[in-house]
Amino acid sequence: MLWVKESINEVLRKVDTNAETGLIDAAVKMRQKQYGTNVFEEEKKETLLRKILHHLSEIPTLILIAATMIAAYMAVFHPPDTIGNGWPKVFVILSIIIINTSLGIYQESKAEKALEALKKMNSFKTTVIRGGVRQIVEASDLVPGDIIELTTGDVITADARIISASSLQVDEAALTGESEPVDKDPNADINEDVPLGDRLNMVYSGCLVTGGRAIAVVVETAMQTEMGKIASLLNNTKKLKTPLQIRLKQLAKRISALALVAGVLMVIFGYLVHPVNPIDGATRYFVDILILAVALGVAAVPETLPIIVTMVLSYSVYNMVRKNTVIRKIPAVETVGNTSVICSDKTGTLTQNKMRIREVWHVRHDPISTKEKESFNTDQKMLVELLASCSNATIEHYGEDNEEHIIGDPTEIAIIRMLHDLGLDRVRAERDYPRVYEIPFDSGRKRMTTVHHDGDGYIAVTKGAFDRIPVKWDPELKAKAKEIHDSYAEKALRVLAVSIKKYDKMPTDLSIEALESDHEFRGMVGMIDPPRPESAAAVAMAKEAGIRTVMITGDHKVTAAAIAREIGILDEGDRAVSGRELAEMSNEELDNEVRNISVYARVSPEDKIRIVQAWTKQGEVVAMTGDGVNDAPALKAADVGVAMGITGTEVTKSAADMVITDDNFATIVDAISVGRTAFDNIRKTIAFLLSVNFAEIFILLAGMLTFGVSPLLALQILLINVVSDGIPGFFLAFEKPELGVMKRKPLSKRAGIFSAGLGGKIALGSICFVVLTFGAFLLGSYVLPAPGSAVTGYTGAYYDVGISMAFVVLSWASVINIFNVRSDLSIFKNSPLQNRGLFIAAMSTIVLTLIVALAPPIAEVFDVQTGLTPLHWLVMVGLAVTQLLVGEVSKLFRRRS
């Protein structure tokens, strides 16, 4: 049904609703059962089988499958003399494939759940009238027959027929491709075959209200809407990758290439140096070397790293939710942590967004502070009543909890609050001065005028800017009024003046020119939106963290500068500029001056984009806040777009990377702290995994080149990477913030993966692993007395003992290294028990390695020599612990440098 041709009364009859009161709750529930939720059908989720096939098709897994096939071939056609090189090897490699695939699917599922939760957090809301009460509901709860209210900035969430409208304009580009907003007309006469873009009495789901207001009745929801019919084109199921994940993928490719070259060289060296192994024979020796090279190729690639990065970011998303921040796009977590400039709105973000009248002046009396409201006389109270009578704001309390609902302009709300503080109420003001006519406020006139019945006559009341009030001035009064106005302005108070014009009878000429002329001045009030109590501390914390805070506001420069100075944004030597001054600057001048400007007043949305671009050219990571529709382009231009959850329009939230649910600047700083912690934990994971991966490449290649024997065997390498590194590494995602996380400068936007000392940490860890592993191998092969069961190689060295010791030492040392990378503090100042999951995983892995080395059946599978003497174990423990000691010494040097 098109709904456009029918009269509005016929439409209301067909959807069985009332334009004034809307649907009752029982009808809503019945229709929700009938029509379902107002959400688009999504693409079918990937099945478990498809996920398994996806993971099995990855290069590292394919390499392991090839190794399994080679091992199976050898087990069938060249059965060994011992159990250690037969079918158990096949089963172990298969187990590793299963473990890797299971971990990948498990973490992927957790990430999908996180994204689903984010979708729920980011759902749109709509104002509806149900049972005669205006309320805000989730868009998914809308049903046909709901009466909805639309205002500028709203995203339309269902197809609806317009009942009434005032200057309604709708951007339907998402649906029709038409770039210009459409002027809607509820009374338009529309034919049934009219194109979608010309249906002027309808509004459609997914479109944006760019101007005006409207009341409409919902006629279609979900897949029955025009947008729902093409929902398959709007599916948003594409998986997001963070910039860091992309860089890590590129790094993994380079490591894979390095490992491939190393594997080829290892096979060549092994075969050329010792073409025939006298113990196993040429074929078995060559196949063992080939499997070892395959194992190296798999082990060298940190395949768990992308999974852990996703875990870290997902965990951080939930940490931010606890701090009143909703991340709309997971990659934003990474960028938030590196924010170096916050361009913040003043009103509601740095201030309380609750205008309060602080000073009142009636022309017959001296100015008085509202702190002395108990001393207000009749004239002063009447002045507030006059202001209230010329206001449209309402403060209502309803519901079981007597919840306060505020509707209206903040300036007018301050007047109503003052009225209540004086023990008066809106009902009395309307009774004393019933309104009969209104000239609405507009930005050109900067005033509003209402006409009221006043006893036997009528009175026109005008409130507005002091310099626009239509008063027939007496020179002496004007001078006094200007003096008081300027004194208010010096206190950063917003001044609102009021004047009246009396009539004996209802005026017949209701034009602006007639009603707004020759007024009698009555007085003025000074109001301010005071800073939030926590703003100054948050600005100071950001400054200590190397983050510059810039105030951008539509308020006057004097007011903005006063607030900025009070909370620590405007320091000595910093500049405050107005929109006019900014417009006079060229882009080059702004680029040169941007670091000296801390306050921008009276700026336009286009100015915000210029400011963002100027900071970006300086190499800074910029976060920009916004709440209005016009702020959306600036939010998109910034590295991090921050929308306000309370005052922000749905369009602004859609354009943003994150939403601050309490509209508080301090929350942005808290979110940066969480983002920095996430980035730190990712860097710790990189250091933990890559240090041992690089070491393994060098150990195998150098061992084969030097001794013709690898100090580590294929299954041992795989066990170290999957168990010793893989399991504890997951728990780095849950590390708490470092001490001083907000006392250091953010990383540069151009910083690489290995910047800020990370490359040095990886190099030190790798060198230590190489030295300790070769030390264990050489001591076991040549120096320590061999246990009775050891078999000598053709060179006379006890390689089986050396290989076993190298495996245990590298396995333990890699686990112990996690306590080096988890914090820059000494292990004695940062207890391992603070992350219990990590500690338990590390200890379990150490015990598991011990079981592999001591239990004969398992040891035989992994080619580990049993029967090692206490001296061997003492040496292995000493070497493994050395990794921790080296880490402690390096931390000591870093702290002193």
Side-chain angles (χ1 to χ4, degrees), residues 24 74 88 95 98 131 177 205 209 251 271 295 357 389 436 489 571 579 619 627 641 685 824:
I24 61 175
M74 294 301 297
S95 299
I98 293 170
S205 175
V209 179
L251 176 65
Y271 194 74
I357 295 176
S389 68
V436 295
D571 292 331
D627 52 12
T685 305
D824 286 332

Side-chain angles (χ1 to χ4, degrees), residues 3-23:
W3 301 103
V4 295
K5 189 177 181 181
E6 308 286 350
S7 68
I8 187 60
N9 290 330
E10 181 66 16
V11 170
L12 291 170
R13 186 190 66 79
K14 286 185 176 181
V15 296
D16 192 18
T17 191
N18 185 290
E20 300 295 328
T21 60
L23 299 172

Side-chain angles (χ1 to χ4, degrees), residues 437 439-440 442 445 447 509-517:
Y437 188 72
I439 301 176
D442 73 52
R445 292 168 30 251
R447 59 181 179 255
D509 186 353
L510 298 176
S511 66
I512 293 175
E513 293 77 10
L515 291 179
E516 295 185 348
S517 63

Side-chain angles (χ1 to χ4, degrees), residues 675-719:
R676 284 193 176 188
T677 300
F679 197 70
D680 283 351
N681 289 345
I682 291 171
R683 285 167 56 85
K684 291 171 184 176
T685 305
I686 293 171
F688 176 63
L689 295 177
L690 293 191
S691 56
V692 71
N693 286 10
F694 288 150
E696 287 169 344
I697 295 174
F698 187 84
I699 289 168
L700 269 62
L701 190 59
M704 191 59 65
L705 179 62
T706 307
F707 304 103
V709 173
S710 171
L712 295 168
L713 303 180
L715 295 188
Q716 295 171 354
I717 292 173
L718 294 175
L719 186 66

